[in-house]
Amino acid sequence: MASIAVLARAIRSCLTSVQHKPILRATNVHKKCPGNCASLIHSSSRSSAYVTRQNIGVIGVPIHEGQPNMGVMYGPDVIREAGLISRLKEMGLTVKDRGDLKYEKFSQDTTQPGGYVKNSRTLGQALQKLSQTVCSIVTEHDEAVVALGGDHSLTIGSLHGHCQAEPDMCVVWVDAHADINVPHCSPSGNLHGMVLSFLVHELKEYIPHIPGFEWVKPCLSVNDIAYIGLRDVDKCESHILKQKGITCFTMHDVEKIGVAETLSRALDRINPKGNRPLHLSFDIDSFDPQVAPSTGTPSFGGLTYREGLYIAEELGSTGLVNMIDLVEVNPELGSQTEEEMTSKAAVNIICAALGETRMGYVPDNYQIPPKPL
């Protein structure tokens, strides 16, 4: 184990000695990457067939009906106010802010006879619209997508839409929670804890008819998913993870083998050849509450700021990230200082996953100005 730690430090030292810049994005995501685009995370034998796009489409998704805490609908606003758009532009990216998703709210939708999902008609209609929007942004506008939540239920729409645009994609799910309860086993009826159960083929038989969700068709295998940071898992979820053999690394694993080895093993499981586009679903509660306190379901013992940023920065260095969900920022929970900490952490994760590094970004045409006269 000591030799692994030494090797990991040597690799990080080597990487930080090189000036990185945002990875150039192809105009066609399925075009072969020219030259040697080997992933920095893995061995040089792993070459990339995809590169993240140079154009970024940002969409706010102020959905809050998938959980009980008001305020999460303001997440997109505070993440923008924390400087996201300007930061992305400073990285040399072309950014299109496509505003916030508009959706209809159905009255008397909170509870339904025999229902398992609260607000199902409102959420089902909204998430179908999000799926269509994400697919359009990727396929028609050739943009990588950043979805700003909003609660984690939005990922039913974003993942479904991404799957339609790039069927070979895989998912890195960074979260304190597994969010894979089947509806009739959910202890709360809140959709943000059931997201992946709607989308994986292997759980199709357990999904009852849910009003508003008739459009959802499974589009992922359990083999396409890797969890990092789990530490608050319901019994049904734990059973599913073990029975289906889903790749998951709890905080115990992160502490035992380190974040670098955790991420490396996760990608080896879901993307061994490094030729699949990545969907990063990052719940801000994956961070320890001391890092990101303004969130609805905090859980102590989470990722440090450095660990979370390492995951995002290393994923960004692969050039494979074509979709990011950043969810569960709730500015109404906590003080102004705590809200600012949380929203700034969200911005830093997004920028790192799209290619920003702690070495900073220098434009290709930058020159040191002449000394003043």
Side-chain angles (χ1 to χ4, degrees):
M1 194 64 65
S3 62
I4 292 175
V6 171
L7 178 59
R9 286 195 297 270
I11 293 172
R12 287 196 295 271
S13 176
C14 179
L15 292 177
T16 54
S17 68
V18 180
Q19 168 68 69
H20 295 299
K21 58 187 177 182
I23 298 169
L24 293 178
R25 278 79 177 168
T27 57
N28 182 346
V29 71
H30 297 289
K31 186 180 294 182
K32 291 291 184 180
C33 178
N36 181 11
C37 297
S39 166
L40 295 179
I41 298 178
H42 304 286
S43 67
S44 60
S45 62
R46 172 176 296 176
S47 60
S48 171
Y50 295 84
V51 288
T52 310
R53 294 165 171 85
Q54 180 72 33
N55 301 320
I56 309 298
V58 177
I59 181 166
V61 190
I63 286 175
H64 65 90
E65 292 86 355
Q67 51 80 63
N69 296 304
M70 299 300 289
V72 75
M73 73 280 278
Y74 304 123
D77 292 336
V78 297
I79 295 173
R80 289 186 178 101
E81 290 168 4
L84 175 65
I85 305 302
S86 60
R87 282 272 296 279
L88 293 175
K89 290 180 178 179
E90 288 169 3
M91 291 164 56
L93 301 172
T94 300
V95 184
K96 175 70 173 179
D97 188 345
R98 299 188 172 276
D100 287 355
L101 183 80
K102 309 298 182 185
Y103 63 97
E104 180 182 0
K105 297 176 176 62
F106 289 81
S107 60
Q108 298 180 341
D109 192 30
T110 303
T111 58
Q112 300 175 41
Y116 299 106
V117 178
K118 297 174 182 176
N119 306 306
S120 69
R121 291 184 298 161
T122 295
L123 288 164
Q125 176 263 348
L127 297 174
Q128 182 178 21
K129 186 175 182 181
L130 178 60
S131 173
Q132 295 166 346
T133 300
V134 167
C135 186
S136 173
I137 292 173
V138 175
T139 59
E140 297 178 19
H141 300 282
D142 194 33
E143 296 171 355
V145 184
V146 176
L148 309 176
D151 73 61
H152 216 157
S153 65
L154 74 84
T155 304
I156 291 180
S158 67
L159 252 181
H160 186 274
H162 191 188
C163 281
Q164 307 315 302
E166 297 182 323
D168 192 38
M169 50 79 70
C170 54
V171 186
V172 176
W173 192 281
V174 185
D175 200 335
H177 312 91
D179 296 349
I180 199 169
N181 267 311
V182 294
H184 57 284
C185 290
S186 168
S188 68
N190 295 322
L191 185 63
H192 75 160
M194 313 177 201
V195 177
L196 285 168
S197 69
F198 281 82
L199 297 173
V200 296
H201 297 288
E202 292 86 349
L203 294 177
K204 182 179 180 180
E205 63 180 299
Y206 298 103
I207 305 300
H209 174 262
I210 303 294
F213 284 82
E214 296 83 0
W215 61 275
V216 180
K217 307 299 180 187
C219 56
L220 289 170
S221 166
V222 293
N223 299 321
D224 299 325
I225 303 163
Y227 287 101
I228 297 176
L230 296 183
R231 58 192 183 276
D232 185 4
V233 182
D234 295 328
K235 62 182 179 182
C236 178
E237 295 177 310
S238 182
H239 175 77
I240 290 170
L241 296 177
K242 294 174 183 176
Q243 184 190 59
K244 302 300 182 183
I246 300 175
T247 298
C248 60
F249 294 88
T250 68
M251 283 307 303
H252 174 83
D253 299 309
V254 175
E255 292 157 4
K256 183 176 182 179
I257 64 175
V259 67
E261 182 65 15
T262 296
L263 181 58
S264 180
R265 292 186 189 185
L267 292 178
D268 280 337
R269 289 290 299 274
I270 63 171
N271 194 14
K273 295 181 180 179
N275 60 356
R276 306 177 69 186
L278 288 173
H279 185 120
L280 172 61
S281 194
F282 197 103
D283 191 320
I284 204 68
D285 72 23
S286 60
F287 278 126
D288 190 88
Q290 293 184 355
V291 177
S294 292
T295 189
T297 50
S299 180
F300 285 98
L303 296 171
T304 66
Y305 176 77
R306 290 169 64 185
E307 288 169 336
L309 194 60
Y310 179 89
I311 291 169
E313 194 170 314
E314 285 289 87
L315 290 175
S317 74
T318 70
L320 300 174
V321 178
N322 280 331
M323 173 88 213
I324 302 170
D325 311 315
L326 199 297
V327 300
E328 300 286 357
V329 173
N330 189 329
E332 292 194 353
L333 298 177
S335 66
Q336 181 177 348
T337 298
E338 289 173 328
E339 178 272 307
E340 290 175 354
M341 287 173 55
T342 306
S343 57
K344 287 178 180 178
V347 170
N348 290 337
I349 290 297
I350 294 168
C351 291
L354 291 175
E356 185 180 75
T357 77
R358 280 167 276 190
M359 279 290 291
Y361 168 65
V362 179
D364 289 337
N365 60 354
Y366 178 82
Q367 294 183 352
I368 299 175
K371 65 180 182 180
L373 297 176

